[in-house]
Structures are given as structure tokens and as C-alpha cells.
Amino acid sequence: MKRLSWTELFTKKTQAATFNKVDLSLLDDLLYDVWALGRNIILVWTPNGKGLDLLVVPYEAIGEKLTGLGAKRLGENHAQPRTPDNAGAFMEKIVSGPKHVSRKLLAETAGLLGARPVSIELPFMPGDTLPLETISALVKRYSITLVEDRAVALFDIVSFSRYSPLEQVTQLNSLAYSVNIAYSKLMEKEIEIRFARTNTGDGFYIWNRDRGIDSNVDLYHFMHLVLAENAIARGRASRHTVPLLRTCFHIGGHYEFYQSEGLSPTTYSYIVGDVTIELARMIEQARPGQILIGDFEVPMIAPDTGEKIALDAERFIKSVQPRLSSLNDLTLGDQDHIKAIKCYLTGEKQVDGSYAVKRYRITDKHGYSRQVLNAKVNIHRATGAPVYLGIQDADLNN
């Protein structure tokens, strides 16, 4: 599987069949100039004849407007957020919306920020040699975006700091390999995850660049396979070459941005916000080998109707199970095929023989508490022994 070039990446990202690479490079140079080495953010844009109108503002101006919204609540011990002011709420809507906007909305946003749109001339008509969605994808590299419904998985290497530097490098490489091999096997099943990852030092944050319920479910499947490949590798490894993991999964909001690499923004984005903060605090309390799920309730777009629905953690996990059959016959390790997968949230057995989903309360080092759910994944193979991931409810009381 070859690595995509910069222009191929934009073709794939925007689903545009073709575009003029020279025009793309020219536009990128013009956007780079107004970006001013990261001092400015290109908030939104709109076509203007044979050119573009850009709303370019210093990055601190965005922060000042969004500060009026107050901090979102992270755990019961946080102070209640302030009532959003109109300007802050409007800016949050702009930052979370599309980069391509109407002329009216661009003017309204410029007025709120006390800014004047910047016009740039092009030797082509926007939408002709460069599709509008490709232009938006390029503008996004010089902007920030608020995403409210993205799933993120956090893989953390247990006792990482106790290993020698060489062992740490080996374990991080082993985890990266498990991620890559899981991705390649999903591709064999034509399940495409446009995954991104950020190194935390002890592991990785991983998310799907695509949004929506289906994309979040695909990431959950991806997490299964990464953990399974890691477990199989651990069974074959000697000493400390393959890491023992603890894992958290959560869906929530975050800001997406592009860090500078040298003097230019990177091609791939980074995320920071509520979802990563929650995961970091959850992982502190996770046990070796455990899979913790955040107790989320997030509005997400239904793939069949396009409507926003409130989806909580229990409903999400139930929506995952029916699609697990698509992973049957996929190989784990070298050649053993998956026969069946079952994933579930643990809890205590009821009188009727069923199991109730149990919520566990954890408190982090700052004294903030939150509820989480404990997940189990059982992977049955055609010939090899089953792979059991996670910790049973009964074992959590020990």
C-alpha cells in the first residue's frame, strides 16, 4: 500500500476525480502568505469572480470571542459554565461549520470580529480547475475547526516509564505496527478508515478523519483489531518487546488544527479539546488490559436519514455488534481467520439471567469524578484459541 503524495491526498480527501496541480500549488502559496507563519487564521472564504474573499484574523481574536462561552463541564466537580454570550455562540457556530460560506455570512462574521475580508486574485475561476471542496480542504490547513461528535481511542503502554529507552522505542514501534496491520486488514475488507494519530509519549490518540455514526463505529472496530493484533504479538514475544496496553474510547468535541512543520502547516491535522482531556483522565484510572468507554451522549448524524440523534454509550455499543459480522474471515496474526466477534459492556447478572450495564465512578488526580463503562471483546478464531480483550466485571472488584 503506497504512501499518498500531497496532491493525491487532496484528491482522496475531497473525492475530486481530477484537479489542476499547478493551480492547487499556486493557491496554496497565496494562502500561505496571508497565514503569515501562523499569526493569522483563515476562518472562512467565499468565491468572488476570478478570485476568493478570505476572512483572515489573528488567532487570538478567535480565542477572545470563544472565551465568552466559558469552559465546558468536565466532571462533576467543575464549576458550571457561564451562559454563552451571543458573539461567542455565533463564533462557535462559524468555527464548527463549513469553511465555504455565503458572502452575507462572511460579511456578518467580519463585522463581528471588526475585520475586513482579504481578496486574492486567481488565474482561474474557483470551481473550474479546482473544485470548491478542494479549495475548502486547502483553506482548512490554515484554519481551526470545532468538531462535536468524533470518536477517539487512546492506547496507553502500561509501565512505559519503567522501561529502558531502547525498550520504549521497541514497544512504540510494536504498537505502531499493530495499528498499521489492523488498518491494512480493514482495507482488505473494503472498510476504509482515514485514521490519524498523535503520539502521547506513552502511546497514541487515534481517530477517524471522517465524521458520523458509521465512521465512529468503524473506529471502534479498528480499535478491536489493534488490540487483537497486539495480544497475539504479546503471546509470541519474549521480554519487553511488545507492550501491555490499557485503552479508552470516547466520543465528544474537540478543536482540529494543523501544526507547523518547519515554516508550513502539516498536511495532517491534530486535535485538542474535551474528548482528549476526558480520555487522558480516564486512562489514569484504567487497569492494565482494560477497555474503558466514556459515558457520553452526543448528537450525531444518522446515516439513513441525515438527522441529528442523541446517541449515548449504550446505544452506540449496541449499534456496533450487528456490523461485526463484516469482519468474519478476516485474518489475525499470520493466517488464522476470525470466526466471530462479540463486544459488550459489563455489569452484574440479573435474576432473569440477563446482565445490566454497570457504570463505574472514577476520580482523577485533580479530584474530578466521572462515570465510565467497562468493555469486553471476545474474538473467536477458526483454529486458534479465542482472543479475550478487556477485564470482566467480577475482576474489577479485586
Side-chain angles (χ1 to χ4, degrees):
M1 187 181 304
K2 72 171 184 176
R3 188 172 180 267
L4 297 177
S5 68
W6 186 79
T7 52
E8 287 173 330
L9 176 68
F10 270 92
T11 302
K12 192 174 185 65
K13 179 182 288 189
T14 62
Q15 297 180 339
T18 58
F19 54 77
N20 189 300
K21 297 178 182 179
V22 174
D23 289 344
L24 179 68
S25 181
L26 171 64
L27 176 58
D28 188 45
D29 288 342
L30 293 171
L31 297 180
Y32 178 84
D33 288 341
V34 299
W35 178 65
L37 299 179
R39 182 181 185 277
N40 297 323
I41 287 172
I42 304 175
L43 193 58
V44 289
W45 71 279
T46 193
N48 183 8
K50 211 172 182 181
L52 305 178
D53 282 347
L54 310 170
L55 183 53
V56 182
V57 294
Y59 66 85
E60 63 267 20
I62 305 298
E64 289 171 359
K65 292 298 181 182
L66 289 174
T67 299
L69 292 170
K72 291 188 177 181
R73 194 176 182 186
L74 295 174
E76 289 189 353
N77 294 341
H78 276 270
Q80 290 284 353
R82 298 188 298 274
T83 302
D85 59 28
N86 291 336
F90 179 80
M91 281 306 305
E92 186 176 57
K93 184 177 180 180
I94 293 297
V95 172
S96 63
K99 299 307 173 192
H100 177 198
V101 299
S102 67
R103 297 185 62 79
K104 178 181 178 182
L105 184 55
L106 186 143
E108 186 178 355
T109 309
L112 174 66
L113 293 170
R116 295 181 63 183
V118 174
S119 297
I120 59 174
E121 295 184 0
L122 300 171
F124 58 88
M125 189 72 70
D128 287 350
T129 58
L130 283 186
L132 299 183
E133 61 179 3
T134 302
I135 295 174
S136 280
L138 190 55
V139 168
K140 197 174 180 182
R141 291 183 68 209
Y142 300 95
S143 188
I144 61 170
T145 304
L146 174 61
V147 179
E148 299 176 307
D149 57 356
R150 176 163 282 142
V152 182
L154 173 56
F155 299 94
D156 187 76
I157 298 174
V158 175
S159 301
F160 183 78
S161 61
R162 298 181 183 179
Y163 295 112
S164 69
L166 180 58
E167 287 173 326
Q168 290 178 342
V169 170
T170 302
Q171 293 206 355
L172 283 171
N173 279 338
S174 174
L175 175 55
Y177 175 73
S178 294
V179 170
N180 292 339
I181 197 68
Y183 173 73
S184 69
K185 290 180 177 180
L186 281 178
M187 291 290 287
E188 292 173 7
K189 285 289 199 176
E190 297 184 351
I191 300 175
E192 184 172 357
I193 299 233
R194 294 202 310 119
F195 82 88
R197 67 184 172 205
T198 297
N199 194 320
T200 66
D202 295 359
F204 299 121
Y205 286 114
I206 294 185
W207 64 96
N208 193 343
R209 298 181 192 279
D210 293 328
R211 295 176 59 185
I213 295 176
D214 286 347
S215 297
N216 289 342
V217 169
D218 286 343
L219 182 73
Y220 198 74
H221 294 334
F222 183 48
M223 181 183 75
H224 292 168
L225 294 182
V226 173
L227 292 175
E229 291 292 341
N230 166 260
I232 292 171
R234 276 183 58 80
R236 297 193 304 253
S238 58
R239 292 184 59 80
H240 306 305
T241 57
V242 179
L244 173 62
L245 302 175
R246 49 184 182 175
T247 309
C248 292
F249 181 93
H250 191 48
I251 299 178
H254 65 82
Y255 288 96
E256 184 176 15
F257 66 103
Y258 292 74
Q259 289 183 332
S260 295
E261 189 174 90
L263 297 178
S264 299
T266 55
T267 302
Y268 289 112
S269 61
Y270 295 81
I271 62 174
V272 64
D274 292 346
V275 66
T276 55
I277 293 170
E278 282 292 297
L279 284 167
R281 292 179 175 172
M282 288 163 56
I283 206 72
E284 292 175 0
Q285 305 301 316
R287 297 190 183 188
Q290 189 173 17
I291 306 171
L292 282 182
I293 309 296
D295 191 18
F296 57 82
E297 183 174 345
V298 180
M300 282 187 270
I301 303 297
D304 50 349
T305 64
E307 298 179 0
K308 274 194 174 183
I309 60 173
L311 196 66
D312 60 26
E314 286 190 55
R315 290 181 62 194
F316 177 81
I317 297 300
K318 287 179 181 178
S319 72
V320 167
Q321 186 62 44
R323 293 178 54 183
L324 285 173
S325 60
S326 64
L327 302 183
N328 290 351
D329 295 328
L330 186 148
T331 58
L332 280 181
D334 295 329
Q335 57 185 7
D336 206 356
H337 291 267
I338 293 175
K339 186 177 180 182
I341 301 180
K342 181 181 180 182
C343 65
Y344 58 94
L345 300 172
T346 66
E348 297 175 349
K349 190 173 183 178
Q350 305 298 295
V351 177
D352 61 1
S354 63
Y355 286 84
V357 174
K358 182 178 179 180
R359 283 166 170 77
Y360 307 80
R361 183 166 297 280
I362 60 174
T363 303
D364 62 31
K365 63 184 179 182
H366 303 288
Y368 300 140
S369 64
R370 60 199 28 85
Q371 292 189 139
V372 295
L373 301 97
N374 182 60
K376 280 280 294 156
V377 182
N378 301 335
I379 302 178
H380 299 277
R381 297 188 282 176
T383 56
V387 178
Y388 297 115
L389 305 172
I391 301 176
Q392 289 284 9
D393 174 74
D395 297 330
L396 294 175
N397 299 321
N398 299 329

